[in-house]
Structure formats: C-alpha cells, structure tokens
Amino acid sequence: MKFLLIRLLLLGIFAVVLVLVVGFARGYRLDFTQKTVSSTGILVASSEPDGAKILINGELKGATNSNIGVKPGVYDVEIAQDGYLSWKKRLSIKGELVIKADALLFPVNPSLSPLTSFGVVKAIPTKTHEKNMIFSETGDIEKDGIYLIDNRNNPLARINGQKLLALKSIFPSNYTFKDTVVEFSPSEKQMLVTFLQAPVETTGKVTREIEPTILAIYLLSTDDVTVSPFEVTTSVEAVRSAWDIEHIEVQEKLIETFKKPIVKASKSFNILGFSPDETKILYEATESAVIDQVIKPALIATNQMPEERTLMQNAVYVYDKKEDKNFKIADAYNPEIPIFWYTDSQHIAIREEEGIAIVDYDGSNKRLVYSGPFQPEFISVTRSEERRVGKE
C-alpha cells in the first residue's frame, strides 16, 4: 500500500511539473501583482549583425537573438545598434503565439572600397545580381578586357576578385567598351555583347538624336575564358528567340510550384523576379485582378503588415507562398529604375533619386542605406561572408 502511494505521489508530481512546463512553453506566466496566471506571447527577435538592442515601447528588454515574453497587446518594437540604421515595426502580440522580428541592419556610414586596381568604363549586373560584368579599357593590352565578379562566392568589397572572360585585344581595335550593350541568357551562362558606333556630332549644326550604328554582336560565355569570339550579328534574332523561349519555360516551371489561384493570377502580372529561395514573387500588375486566398483558414502568427489582394495596374507587389500573403511595394513600376531581390529573400533593393534604399519584402521599414555618389544604372548586391556561412 505504501509503495502504491509513493508511485501515485510521484505520478502526481510528474503531472504537475509537466503542466507547468507546457504552460511555460506556451507563454503562461505567474503575475505576482495580480496573483493570477496570465497568458503571454513570445517575441523572437533576431538581427544581423547579432547582439542588437531590443526596445519595446522605448524600453530596453534585451538583445538579439533571444525570446522575450510579452503580455498581449500592441507594441512598437525597435531593434537598434550603434552605428547602424534602426529597424522598427508595430506588432500585435497575442497570448500563446510566437511573433518573429527579423532585422537586417545597415551601417549609417557605409564604407567604400575599390573593386579593381585598373580602369572600369562599364559595369553591368545580371538580372539575379549573382554576377557582375566589369569592362576595363585603359590602353593596357595585357589587362583591358571583360571580367567577371561572382557574387555567389566573393563579396563585392574584396579587391582583385575578378575572373578574366575576354581580353579586349580579341575584338577589332576600333571597337570600344564604352559604347556596348549587354544582354544575358535566362541561365546567365551566356551574354550578347553589342558594339555600337556612337553618332558623331558635327560642329555648328543643330544637335539631333541619331540611332547608333551596330558594328558587331558577339556571343560570349559568362563562366569561361573566350579566346575567339563568336560573332552572331546576322543571326542574333535566332539567339534572342531561343532565350525568350527558355525564359518562359523557366518562369512556368517556377510558377507551377505555387498553388492554382496564383498560377491563374500570374496571367495578370509581369514577374520581375523570384526570391533567391523561390518562395516569393516580385511582380508588376499588368491589369486589375484579385489574388484569391490559397491557405484556408489563414495561418496565425504570420506577417502582420496589411496585405492587398486586389491588384492595381502598374503597381508593384510581393506574393509570399509560405504565408499566402500579398504586399504592395510601390504604386507604379518604372523599368528604368532597378528594383530587385536582396540575397536573403527577405528584403528588396530599390534605386531612388536620392540614393539606394532597402525595404522589407512586405513594404515596411524602408531605409536609405546609401546617399553618396554612384553610377545610376549600376546597382548590385552581394552575399556577405557572414551571411553566406551562417545562413546558406
């Protein structure tokens, strides 16, 4: 009998401890002032770089990466670190739910370092910004040429990380890199380099716009060194047509990984780019449409920014298939202004009149990360060493 009582006592203690552990894990806490047990929400805050301050309604609550228990309510959350632009968002915390705050912090005063030790007359990123083509033209026959900077392996700030693709000496001597147009294949493994002859302005006469003359078009590899360039001036339309077909096939395969309502809605937008992890679509609405709900009922404890499922023509949106959310990024799309995915699939880079901005994929936390001089037509991003090792 005594042995049975001991077993029942131990079982009871185990049950009580289990209830307490489960309750604690679900966010329940003892309120000593009210002498009650109340539910709390969990704020999971992370940042890059790590160790930033977490402020809730202006009060310091800890540092990233950590979990903070918060009573249900609406709070202004700020993640800040000295020398970096702060991340801010208003979040609604609910009992027993986990709310995430993931902040990417950028320096207030970004440092600049040279890409090359020789002259660059043109720099062109591929559409995914995984590669950058650097055109050097200084008169040095041994160095002038087309170089590759591979963002998948090397950060942009690393000096002399270029790979030679083609020396300028393999092209006719009267051709110049300054007057070139570059097109990339959908796989970004090939590129078309078009050499142009700019119109000569005659002194004393009225200046008028004249179309430049095409001298030659070459098909080059973006991975390997080219010794003898392959000229495709007379057959370039066939190359472009093949690329168009390849582009459509690639996009169709990617869009098929999304649910039927999104596949149907995709007829009403122009895809600007899939996120690197292929879970989100950055797109321009080409006509008015409605994005039907895919996940029913809607998921809880997801992104809290207001979404817009009724599309406005020419506006820019991001659709997230993991959470079935659609966010408006801009009222209008300008093809002359670069807008593209940042490497972490959580942010978007935008060129603006005053500089370069980064915005969260839901359209919030827009921050001007650079406002100094830069080449307007060239913006590119790269994986930092920490991000590549830590998260990929």
Side-chain angles (χ1 to χ4, degrees), residues 325-347:
K325 296 287 184 73
N326 194 71
F327 303 102
K328 187 177 180 181
I329 304 299
D331 292 329
Y333 173 64
N334 184 347
E336 295 182 358
I337 298 179
I339 176 170
F340 53 90
W341 283 105
Y342 194 72
T343 56
D344 62 358
S345 299
Q346 300 295 318
H347 301 84

mmCIF file of all heavy atoms in Angstrom, residues 325-347:
data_model
loop_
_atom_site.group_PDB
_atom_site.id
_atom_site.type_symbol
_atom_site.label_atom_id
_atom_site.label_comp_id
_atom_site.label_asym_id
_atom_site.label_seq_id
_atom_site.Cartn_x
_atom_site.Cartn_y
_atom_site.Cartn_z
ATOM 1 N N LYS A 325 0.486 35.537 -48.425
ATOM 2 C CA LYS A 325 0.304 36.973 -48.211
ATOM 3 C C LYS A 325 0.750 37.730 -49.453
ATOM 4 O O LYS A 325 1.721 37.341 -50.121
ATOM 5 C CB LYS A 325 1.101 37.453 -46.986
ATOM 6 C CG LYS A 325 0.654 36.856 -45.650
ATOM 7 C CD LYS A 325 -0.673 37.439 -45.213
ATOM 8 C CE LYS A 325 -1.092 36.929 -43.838
ATOM 9 N NZ LYS A 325 -0.298 37.527 -42.758
ATOM 10 N N ASN A 326 0.056 38.834 -49.738
ATOM 11 C CA ASN A 326 0.385 39.658 -50.898
ATOM 12 C C ASN A 326 0.540 41.107 -50.444
ATOM 13 O O ASN A 326 -0.396 41.691 -49.889
ATOM 14 C CB ASN A 326 -0.706 39.551 -51.961
ATOM 15 C CG ASN A 326 -0.263 40.102 -53.302
ATOM 16 O OD1 ASN A 326 0.584 39.494 -53.973
ATOM 17 N ND2 ASN A 326 -0.813 41.227 -53.704
ATOM 18 N N PHE A 327 1.728 41.690 -50.663
ATOM 19 C CA PHE A 327 2.019 43.023 -50.164
ATOM 20 C C PHE A 327 2.334 43.979 -51.307
ATOM 21 O O PHE A 327 2.999 43.610 -52.272
ATOM 22 C CB PHE A 327 3.208 42.985 -49.204
ATOM 23 C CG PHE A 327 3.022 42.059 -48.035
ATOM 24 C CD1 PHE A 327 3.632 40.809 -48.017
ATOM 25 C CD2 PHE A 327 2.225 42.425 -46.962
ATOM 26 C CE1 PHE A 327 3.463 39.958 -46.943
ATOM 27 C CE2 PHE A 327 2.045 41.572 -45.888
ATOM 28 C CZ PHE A 327 2.665 40.332 -45.879
ATOM 29 N N LYS A 328 1.874 45.204 -51.156
ATOM 30 C CA LYS A 328 2.150 46.241 -52.151
ATOM 31 C C LYS A 328 3.465 46.924 -51.811
ATOM 32 O O LYS A 328 3.683 47.357 -50.682
ATOM 33 C CB LYS A 328 1.009 47.267 -52.167
ATOM 34 C CG LYS A 328 1.109 48.288 -53.283
ATOM 35 C CD LYS A 328 -0.104 49.197 -53.249
ATOM 36 C CE LYS A 328 -0.069 50.248 -54.335
ATOM 37 N NZ LYS A 328 -1.254 51.140 -54.265
ATOM 38 N N ILE A 329 4.350 47.045 -52.802
ATOM 39 C CA ILE A 329 5.668 47.639 -52.605
ATOM 40 C C ILE A 329 5.728 49.066 -53.146
ATOM 41 O O ILE A 329 6.314 49.950 -52.543
ATOM 42 C CB ILE A 329 6.760 46.788 -53.286
ATOM 43 C CG1 ILE A 329 6.712 45.352 -52.767
ATOM 44 C CG2 ILE A 329 8.142 47.380 -53.059
ATOM 45 C CD1 ILE A 329 6.949 45.230 -51.275
ATOM 46 N N ALA A 330 5.112 49.290 -54.306
ATOM 47 C CA ALA A 330 5.142 50.612 -54.926
ATOM 48 C C ALA A 330 3.880 50.827 -55.747
ATOM 49 O O ALA A 330 3.276 49.870 -56.248
ATOM 50 C CB ALA A 330 6.380 50.765 -55.809
ATOM 51 N N ASP A 331 3.489 52.100 -55.898
ATOM 52 C CA ASP A 331 2.264 52.425 -56.648
ATOM 53 C C ASP A 331 2.448 52.250 -58.144
ATOM 54 O O ASP A 331 1.475 52.025 -58.868
ATOM 55 C CB ASP A 331 1.827 53.864 -56.355
ATOM 56 C CG ASP A 331 1.344 54.038 -54.922
ATOM 57 O OD1 ASP A 331 0.791 53.070 -54.362
ATOM 58 O OD2 ASP A 331 1.538 55.138 -54.363
ATOM 59 N N ALA A 332 3.679 52.393 -58.615
ATOM 60 C CA ALA A 332 3.926 52.296 -60.054
ATOM 61 C C ALA A 332 5.305 51.712 -60.302
ATOM 62 O O ALA A 332 6.231 51.887 -59.500
ATOM 63 C CB ALA A 332 3.806 53.667 -60.714
ATOM 64 N N TYR A 333 5.438 51.019 -61.407
ATOM 65 C CA TYR A 333 6.706 50.404 -61.789
ATOM 66 C C TYR A 333 7.348 51.196 -62.909
ATOM 67 O O TYR A 333 6.714 51.524 -63.916
ATOM 68 C CB TYR A 333 6.478 48.958 -62.243
ATOM 69 C CG TYR A 333 7.722 48.309 -62.825
ATOM 70 C CD1 TYR A 333 8.849 48.105 -62.038
ATOM 71 C CD2 TYR A 333 7.769 47.914 -64.163
ATOM 72 C CE1 TYR A 333 9.992 47.524 -62.555
ATOM 73 C CE2 TYR A 333 8.902 47.319 -64.690
ATOM 74 C CZ TYR A 333 10.014 47.133 -63.885
ATOM 75 O OH TYR A 333 11.153 46.559 -64.401
ATOM 76 N N ASN A 334 8.615 51.536 -62.730
ATOM 77 C CA ASN A 334 9.395 52.223 -63.745
ATOM 78 C C ASN A 334 10.525 51.295 -64.179
ATOM 79 O O ASN A 334 11.445 51.044 -63.396
ATOM 80 C CB ASN A 334 9.962 53.535 -63.199
ATOM 81 C CG ASN A 334 10.704 54.345 -64.258
ATOM 82 O OD1 ASN A 334 11.014 53.848 -65.338
ATOM 83 N ND2 ASN A 334 10.995 55.594 -63.941
ATOM 84 N N PRO A 335 10.470 50.755 -65.392
ATOM 85 C CA PRO A 335 11.501 49.795 -65.821
ATOM 86 C C PRO A 335 12.907 50.375 -65.855
ATOM 87 O O PRO A 335 13.878 49.626 -65.890
ATOM 88 C CB PRO A 335 11.031 49.392 -67.228
ATOM 89 C CG PRO A 335 10.109 50.479 -67.662
ATOM 90 C CD PRO A 335 9.460 51.008 -66.430
ATOM 91 N N GLU A 336 13.034 51.699 -65.830
ATOM 92 C CA GLU A 336 14.356 52.322 -65.857
ATOM 93 C C GLU A 336 14.975 52.435 -64.464
ATOM 94 O O GLU A 336 16.140 52.802 -64.332
ATOM 95 C CB GLU A 336 14.266 53.710 -66.499
ATOM 96 C CG GLU A 336 13.853 53.673 -67.971
ATOM 97 C CD GLU A 336 13.832 55.054 -68.594
ATOM 98 O OE1 GLU A 336 14.107 56.034 -67.865
ATOM 99 O OE2 GLU A 336 13.538 55.153 -69.794
ATOM 100 N N ILE A 337 14.165 52.144 -63.431
ATOM 101 C CA ILE A 337 14.675 52.213 -62.055
ATOM 102 C C ILE A 337 14.809 50.798 -61.508
ATOM 103 O O ILE A 337 13.805 50.096 -61.353
ATOM 104 C CB ILE A 337 13.740 53.045 -61.156
ATOM 105 C CG1 ILE A 337 13.655 54.490 -61.670
ATOM 106 C CG2 ILE A 337 14.226 53.021 -59.711
ATOM 107 C CD1 ILE A 337 12.737 55.372 -60.875
ATOM 108 N N PRO A 338 16.022 50.342 -61.209
ATOM 109 C CA PRO A 338 16.218 48.968 -60.721
ATOM 110 C C PRO A 338 15.461 48.697 -59.422
ATOM 111 O O PRO A 338 15.462 49.507 -58.499
ATOM 112 C CB PRO A 338 17.738 48.900 -60.490
ATOM 113 C CG PRO A 338 18.310 49.971 -61.346
ATOM 114 C CD PRO A 338 17.293 51.072 -61.371
ATOM 115 N N ILE A 339 14.781 47.565 -59.365
ATOM 116 C CA ILE A 339 14.155 47.057 -58.155
ATOM 117 C C ILE A 339 14.321 45.541 -58.193
ATOM 118 O O ILE A 339 13.901 44.898 -59.155
ATOM 119 C CB ILE A 339 12.670 47.471 -58.050
ATOM 120 C CG1 ILE A 339 12.016 46.839 -56.814
ATOM 121 C CG2 ILE A 339 11.900 47.162 -59.313
ATOM 122 C CD1 ILE A 339 10.632 47.378 -56.511
ATOM 123 N N PHE A 340 14.943 44.973 -57.175
ATOM 124 C CA PHE A 340 15.275 43.555 -57.251
ATOM 125 C C PHE A 340 15.458 42.983 -55.858
ATOM 126 O O PHE A 340 15.567 43.711 -54.867
ATOM 127 C CB PHE A 340 16.547 43.335 -58.083
ATOM 128 C CG PHE A 340 17.725 44.157 -57.641
ATOM 129 C CD1 PHE A 340 18.617 43.682 -56.692
ATOM 130 C CD2 PHE A 340 17.942 45.420 -58.162
ATOM 131 C CE1 PHE A 340 19.700 44.433 -56.278
ATOM 132 C CE2 PHE A 340 19.024 46.185 -57.753
ATOM 133 C CZ PHE A 340 19.899 45.696 -56.810
ATOM 134 N N TRP A 341 15.550 41.662 -55.778
ATOM 135 C CA TRP A 341 15.659 40.962 -54.511
ATOM 136 C C TRP A 341 17.038 41.135 -53.883
ATOM 137 O O TRP A 341 18.055 41.089 -54.576
ATOM 138 C CB TRP A 341 15.387 39.470 -54.687
ATOM 139 C CG TRP A 341 13.939 39.155 -54.829
ATOM 140 C CD1 TRP A 341 13.281 38.820 -55.983
ATOM 141 C CD2 TRP A 341 12.962 39.133 -53.781
ATOM 142 N NE1 TRP A 341 11.951 38.607 -55.714
ATOM 143 C CE2 TRP A 341 11.727 38.787 -54.380
ATOM 144 C CE3 TRP A 341 13.004 39.377 -52.407
ATOM 145 C CZ2 TRP A 341 10.551 38.679 -53.635
ATOM 146 C CZ3 TRP A 341 11.837 39.267 -51.669
ATOM 147 C CH2 TRP A 341 10.634 38.924 -52.284
ATOM 148 N N TYR A 342 17.053 41.310 -52.577
ATOM 149 C CA TYR A 342 18.282 41.211 -51.805
ATOM 150 C C TYR A 342 18.563 39.724 -51.608
ATOM 151 O O TYR A 342 17.664 38.889 -51.752
ATOM 152 C CB TYR A 342 18.116 41.928 -50.459
ATOM 153 C CG TYR A 342 19.406 42.188 -49.727
ATOM 154 C CD1 TYR A 342 20.300 43.158 -50.188
ATOM 155 C CD2 TYR A 342 19.729 41.480 -48.581
ATOM 156 C CE1 TYR A 342 21.486 43.398 -49.508
ATOM 157 C CE2 TYR A 342 20.912 41.721 -47.905
ATOM 158 C CZ TYR A 342 21.794 42.677 -48.381
ATOM 159 O OH TYR A 342 22.974 42.900 -47.715
ATOM 160 N N THR A 343 19.777 39.367 -51.272
ATOM 161 C CA THR A 343 20.183 37.966 -51.279
ATOM 162 C C THR A 343 19.510 37.097 -50.221
ATOM 163 O O THR A 343 19.532 35.875 -50.326
ATOM 164 C CB THR A 343 21.711 37.858 -51.092
ATOM 165 O OG1 THR A 343 22.077 38.533 -49.893
ATOM 166 C CG2 THR A 343 22.437 38.501 -52.256
ATOM 167 N N ASP A 344 18.912 37.708 -49.182
ATOM 168 C CA ASP A 344 18.328 36.902 -48.109
ATOM 169 C C ASP A 344 16.867 36.555 -48.337
ATOM 170 O O ASP A 344 16.239 35.915 -47.493
ATOM 171 C CB ASP A 344 18.478 37.611 -46.760
ATOM 172 C CG ASP A 344 17.742 38.947 -46.723
ATOM 173 O OD1 ASP A 344 17.152 39.341 -47.755
ATOM 174 O OD2 ASP A 344 17.760 39.600 -45.661
ATOM 175 N N SER A 345 16.286 36.981 -49.464
ATOM 176 C CA SER A 345 14.879 36.713 -49.815
ATOM 177 C C SER A 345 13.890 37.405 -48.879
ATOM 178 O O SER A 345 12.697 37.150 -48.950
ATOM 179 C CB SER A 345 14.571 35.197 -49.838
ATOM 180 O OG SER A 345 15.361 34.539 -50.796
ATOM 181 N N GLN A 346 14.380 38.273 -48.004
ATOM 182 C CA GLN A 346 13.529 38.983 -47.054
ATOM 183 C C GLN A 346 13.478 40.489 -47.324
ATOM 184 O O GLN A 346 12.678 41.198 -46.708
ATOM 185 C CB GLN A 346 14.035 38.764 -45.613
ATOM 186 C CG GLN A 346 14.049 37.313 -45.176
ATOM 187 C CD GLN A 346 12.662 36.716 -45.100
ATOM 188 O OE1 GLN A 346 11.723 37.345 -44.617
ATOM 189 N NE2 GLN A 346 12.523 35.499 -45.591
ATOM 190 N N HIS A 347 14.310 40.959 -48.241
ATOM 191 C CA HIS A 347 14.397 42.391 -48.497
ATOM 192 C C HIS A 347 14.511 42.661 -49.996
ATOM 193 O O HIS A 347 14.877 41.776 -50.776
ATOM 194 C CB HIS A 347 15.604 42.996 -47.773
ATOM 195 C CG HIS A 347 15.573 42.814 -46.299
ATOM 196 N ND1 HIS A 347 16.026 41.666 -45.681
ATOM 197 C CD2 HIS A 347 15.131 43.617 -45.308
ATOM 198 C CE1 HIS A 347 15.854 41.776 -44.379
ATOM 199 N NE2 HIS A 347 15.324 42.947 -44.120
#
